[in-house]
Amino acid sequence: MEDRWSTEHILSLAPDQASYKAAGKLSGPAPWSEAGCGQGALWGLCKGSGSTPYRTVVELATPAYKCSCPSRKFPCKHALGLLLLWSGGPQAVADGAEPPGWVADWLKARRQDEQRRAARAEGVVADPAAARRRAEKRSARVAAGAQELRLRLADRVRHGLADQAPAAGGWEEVAARMVDAQAPGLASRVRELDSVPADDRLAEYALLHLLAGAYGRIGELPEPLAATVRTRVGFTTDTAELLAGPTVRDRWLVLGSRTVAPEGATEEHQLTTRRIWLRGAKTGRPALLLAFGRTGQAPDLALPTGRLLEAELAFHPGARPLRAALGTRYGAPEPGPAGQPAGLTPEEAVAGYGAAVADDPWLESWPTVLTGVVPVLGPDGWQLTDGRHSLPVRRGSVPEAALWRLAAVSAGHPVTLFGEYGYAGFAPVTAWGRDGRPTGIAQ
């Protein structure tokens, strides 16, 4: 029997607001026929404008979607509507049904595609010598770019931080130079310098100067710190390479997720990012999964908050490994433990972030579960307090309406709250109230 998803989780999968609204109109039984659920799939026929109903199927583990409608959005409104219908319980869509032929054929084709992709990945024979030459050439370009950036930063400091007049070309020109040097991480951080408030400018210059200097001495650093520097500068590790190395198998509790689009992105060129935070039930270690979606398509990975997923994760190397790639799964997500997850006091959260920054000086925040805190609105903004110590809520991390939703969940009583804590404050993601049920704050 498949465990039913919450309405909140299903609607979080919508690729845009229009699909979100349209799905609600298809969440009742009226447009559906021959709906069923079994063998990890959900299916049904949805009455449309034509004489032939749309065939809609959802593979629940991934999840993955298929619909005969002409929509180019994934999932389409029919898949979302079917999921909403299914979430109503067995009386809406019965469990244990045998998939009809068109569903079974699609599931079989998906399995075969996965097997072919795995076989191709195993069959790729790399040229180690050519790869080494490419790596050496790039390393030299990045080193030259990092040295140029250090000189540019030093020049700006000598010129004076109070002078707002940009140097020749401004920081955008410097960012373009970092792109040419194949250091996209440096380029991204440089672009942000023009928007840094005057009070924080020197600190940002110092951190960026430290990063560029660290890459210049990359061979002298301990390997975990060297891996962190390479990642911050813009080097990436192939997912297949990660999964071929050591993995961590655990039952991972889904602490929360958030889907965001980059600021300033147009609807035609919008790449959305879904961040999913996990914590190992046995190891206790945190993990962050990233999934991406193009225009009209939700990110390809979704895990319901509060569920447990037994799986193998491969962590990206670093002094504080956090981001991970999802490897082999052992079954679908199952109900998590009742009640709230274990957490820290505000005082312990500050100490925890301090320890993380000691390992990674460029770390802006760290996933944290707070326990027994009450959200309070004061003269300086929202605070999270346990009666002895308080943490500020990071300004702009969630909409103001989301913070009032958090206050409603609390109703003046202590709650357990998951989010990211850093020097700018706490960014809330999920709250557990007195009933022990998780609520997405910004959903």
Side-chain angles (χ1 to χ4, degrees), residues 37-224:
C37 178
Q39 299 184 21
L42 170 68
W43 61 86
L45 304 179
C46 186
K47 182 179 179 182
S49 56
S51 58
T52 303
Y54 297 126
R55 291 179 168 185
T56 307
V57 56
V58 180
E59 185 206 42
L60 296 168
T62 306
Y65 320 93
K66 175 70 175 179
C67 185
S68 60
C69 74
S71 175
R72 298 179 64 183
K73 298 178 180 180
F74 297 95
C76 67
K77 64 182 181 181
H78 305 101
L80 291 169
L82 180 59
L83 283 166
L84 289 171
L85 176 69
W86 170 70
S87 70
Q91 68 278 9
V93 179
D95 282 306
E98 185 71 21
W102 58 275
V103 173
D105 290 344
W106 180 72
L107 293 173
K108 180 180 178 181
R110 275 187 55 78
R111 288 192 294 269
Q112 291 174 342
D113 285 343
E114 291 173 357
Q115 292 168 356
R116 281 194 292 268
R117 283 195 296 268
R120 283 198 299 268
E122 292 176 358
V124 173
V125 179
D127 182 346
R132 184 172 59 254
R133 289 193 296 270
R134 288 194 298 269
E136 290 171 351
K137 290 177 66 175
R138 182 183 179 187
S139 181
R141 289 196 189 100
V142 174
Q147 177 61 19
E148 179 181 347
L149 177 58
R150 293 181 68 199
L151 295 175
R152 296 285 191 120
L153 289 165
D155 286 344
R156 183 58 65 90
V157 171
R158 280 194 293 269
H159 187 69
L161 297 180
D163 191 342
Q164 295 294 322
W171 287 121
E172 187 58 42
E173 185 267 339
V174 179
R177 295 282 299 134
M178 296 304 104
V179 172
D180 292 340
Q182 294 183 280
L186 293 180
S188 177
R189 294 181 73 99
V190 168
R191 287 193 188 96
E192 296 172 356
L193 291 178
D194 282 326
S195 61
V196 173
D199 291 347
D200 300 329
R201 198 168 294 145
L202 183 58
E204 289 298 318
Y205 285 9
L207 283 171
L208 194 48
H209 190 274
L210 177 66
L211 179 59
Y215 189 79
R217 301 174 51 237
I218 194 79
E220 304 172 29
L221 302 178
E223 182 49 38

Side-chain angles (χ1 to χ4, degrees), residues 15 260-273 293-297:
V260 296
E263 293 184 7
T266 63
E267 187 174 347
E268 294 79 13
H269 301 89
Q270 190 178 75
L271 178 70
T272 57
T273 303
R294 298 184 298 275
T295 302
Q297 181 175 340

Side-chain angles (χ1 to χ4, degrees), residues 7-31:
T7 299
E8 178 185 69
H9 173 64
I10 294 168
L11 293 179
S12 74
L13 306 177
D16 53 32
Q17 194 65 24
S19 300
Y20 183 104
K21 294 180 179 179
K25 300 176 182 178
L26 299 173
S27 59

Side-chain angles (χ1 to χ4, degrees), residues 312-346:
E312 295 179 359
L313 298 187
F315 285 83
H316 288 251
R320 274 272 170 161
L322 178 63
R323 185 182 172 187
L326 179 60
T328 304
R329 305 187 197 188
Y330 299 91
E334 54 189 55
Q340 302 92 337
L344 307 175
T345 66

Side-chain angles (χ1 to χ4, degrees), residues 355-382:
V357 170
D359 291 334
D360 180 353
W362 304 278
L363 192 65
E364 296 183 355
S365 60
W366 188 251
T368 304
V369 178
L370 294 175
T371 187
V373 293
V374 178
V376 177
L377 179 59
D380 298 324
W382 288 88

